[in-house]
Amino acid sequence: MTEGSSRAGTGGSHPRHALVPLLNSPVRLSVVAALWPVDRAGFAVVRDLVEVTDSALSKQVAALEAAGWVAVTKGRAGRRPLTWLALTAEGRAVYQRHLAALRAIAGGGGARHVPGPAGAAPDADTVLNGVVSPSCHDDGHEHT
């Protein structure tokens, strides 16, 4: 694995351990997301999609390229220089793993139901990760 792709805090079962630290930057995540559905995209197209300056995009692409997740190729269209960006196979795999971890976290993959006392019937309260959230019937107002 390349730098930035290792798990943060190995050994845990919470889905956050599968998050990729390098993709915690909103701009880097946005760049990878913009490149995901295409074989390659022009630098200016990605810049406009992500809504950053040339300088900011260049810096973030350099970090993704150093990790081996984005390939940068330069060419020309007539006299005009062009820069193309593409996700590498490793970049695609890392992005998929990061998205899976985010989905697991957002979908409750990191939350667990905490049961009440042994043999007790579930009550109107929801217990999640040790926090009791009263049901709407415990909020003190009448329902019609």
Side-chain angles (χ1 to χ4, degrees):
M1 278 196 234
T2 58
E3 181 182 323
S5 66
S6 63
R7 290 180 175 209
T10 59
S13 62
H14 191 280
R16 78 174 180 281
H17 298 291
L19 290 173
V20 182
L22 192 62
L23 294 181
N24 286 341
S25 157
V27 173
R28 286 191 294 266
L29 180 61
S30 297
V31 169
V32 173
L35 294 173
W36 172 255
V38 297
D39 289 334
R40 68 179 187 165
F43 184 93
V45 170
V46 175
R47 177 201 60 213
D48 294 346
L49 282 172
V50 177
E51 299 178 350
V52 294
T53 64
D54 285 354
S55 174
L57 180 58
S58 182
K59 179 180 176 183
Q60 301 307 322
V61 166
L64 293 166
E65 184 180 29
W69 302 343
V70 170
V72 178
T73 55
K74 300 205 180 247
R76 295 188 88 68
R79 302 171 103 185
R80 186 173 167 212
L82 294 175
T83 300
W84 295 95
L85 308 174
L87 282 180
T88 64
E90 183 180 2
R92 289 183 178 279
V94 165
Y95 180 62
Q96 283 182 308
R97 187 172 67 242
H98 192 77
L99 281 182
L102 288 171
R103 284 186 189 109
I105 292 166
R112 55 189 163 78
H113 176 75
V114 180
D123 60 12
D125 291 342
T126 302
V127 181
L128 191 61
N129 287 342
V131 177
V132 177
S133 173
S135 69
C136 67
H137 299 288
D138 293 335
D139 59 9
H141 70 272
E142 294 283 326
H143 292 273
T144 57

